[in-house]
Amino acid sequence: MVQAGLKLLNTGGLEAVTLRAIAAELGVKAPTLYWRFKNKQDLVDDMATRVLVDWAEASHDGPATDTWQAWALGYGISLRNMLLRYRDGARMVSGSRLTDTRLYASMERALQRFQSHGIAPADAALCLTTVYSYVIGFTIEQQAVLSPQGERDPRYTLAERDALVDAERYPLSRSIGPEVFDNYDVRFERGLRLVVAGFETMLA
């Protein structure tokens, strides 16, 4: 059922994921799914949990010799890459109730890594949850503007901005060119580095 939900997600976005559509995909009657899921959100919770567990187990432990800063950057980049593999991936994960305790094994390893660099678990958890929130929020915005094929919504083009924003009244806003405005990878990594640098300053 979760795999059917992820298939529908990639085909039509989060709005296309319904218990009725899952039932049609599986060739069963919709009421037969209610023994497992009370509503759509229960299904989305399981979908989000599945992709996060698979990602956590496969990707982001990294070399033990990494600094905590390098590991946090890698964690954020890896999480965004995973979310972008799914249409509306960030919306799916945002606010979902995670249902698999295997995620705590990944969290435990992360906290141990920070602790090995002299950072208390509470501070490490604050750093990781802040990076996580930044990634989710950034990726929600990106996926709202860019289609899965990378096509930009015409309402959010540089030309549309330039047509609306008076260069004389707002010269600094108009000075932001395509190298930043159109390049989500650059914007994301610069922002992520600012987040991690902020924690480095706080912990110094």
Side-chain angles (χ1 to χ4, degrees), residues 125-158:
L126 181 59
C127 177
L128 290 173
T129 55
T130 302
V131 169
Y132 180 88
S133 297
Y134 167 73
V135 174
I136 295 293
F138 185 98
T139 310
I140 286 175
E141 292 293 328
Q142 178 178 350
Q143 292 184 315
V145 172
L146 297 182
S147 74
Q149 294 74 36
E151 298 169 347
R152 195 179 187 96
D153 186 320
R155 297 174 300 169
Y156 303 104
T157 62
L158 191 59

Side-chain angles (χ1 to χ4, degrees), residues 68 71-72 109-119 124 127-128:
W68 71 264
W71 190 89
R109 292 193 299 272
L111 295 177
Q112 289 170 351
R113 180 181 294 271
F114 276 76
Q115 190 171 54
S116 72
H117 291 283
I119 298 173
C127 177
L128 290 173

Side-chain angles (χ1 to χ4, degrees), residues 34-193:
Y34 284 97
W35 68 269
R36 172 75 183 276
F37 303 111
K38 294 179 182 177
N39 50 45
K40 173 178 175 174
Q41 188 57 54
D42 278 357
L43 170 62
V44 173
D45 288 345
D46 267 14
M47 290 164 55
T49 299
R50 169 72 64 83
V51 299
L52 285 172
V53 167
D54 289 349
W55 163 73
E57 292 189 340
S59 66
H60 70 265
D61 284 345
T65 55
D66 274 357
T67 63
W68 71 264
Q69 295 94 330
W71 190 89
L73 289 170
Y75 165 81
I77 291 168
S78 175
L79 175 59
R80 174 173 171 258
N81 289 340
M82 180 275 292
L83 295 172
L84 290 175
R85 290 201 293 269
Y86 298 92
R87 183 170 179 173
D88 289 339
R91 285 179 59 207
M92 173 186 65
V93 168
S94 176
S96 292
R97 181 179 63 87
L98 304 180
T99 59
D100 191 325
T101 58
R102 284 180 294 171
L103 285 166
Y104 286 99
S106 175
M107 174 63 79
E108 190 72 13
R109 292 193 299 272
L111 295 177
Q112 289 170 351
R113 180 181 294 271
F114 276 76
Q115 190 171 54
S116 72
H117 291 283
I119 298 173
D123 288 332
L126 181 59
C127 177
L128 290 173
T129 55
T130 302
V131 169
Y132 180 88
S133 297
Y134 167 73
V135 174
I136 295 293
F138 185 98
T139 310
I140 286 175
E141 292 293 328
Q142 178 178 350
Q143 292 184 315
V145 172
L146 297 182
S147 74
Q149 294 74 36
E151 298 169 347
R152 195 179 187 96
D153 186 320
R155 297 174 300 169
Y156 303 104
T157 62
L158 191 59
E160 182 70 14
R161 184 208 65 179
D162 288 349
L164 293 172
V165 179
D166 187 325
E168 291 187 4
R169 294 181 64 189
Y170 308 111
L172 298 180
S173 297
R174 280 289 298 270
S175 71
I176 300 171
E179 68 281 356
V180 173
F181 188 90
D182 290 331
N183 195 325
Y184 277 88
D185 290 343
V186 168
R187 287 163 59 182
F188 172 77
E189 292 200 24
R190 287 182 179 176
L192 181 59
R193 289 182 183 278

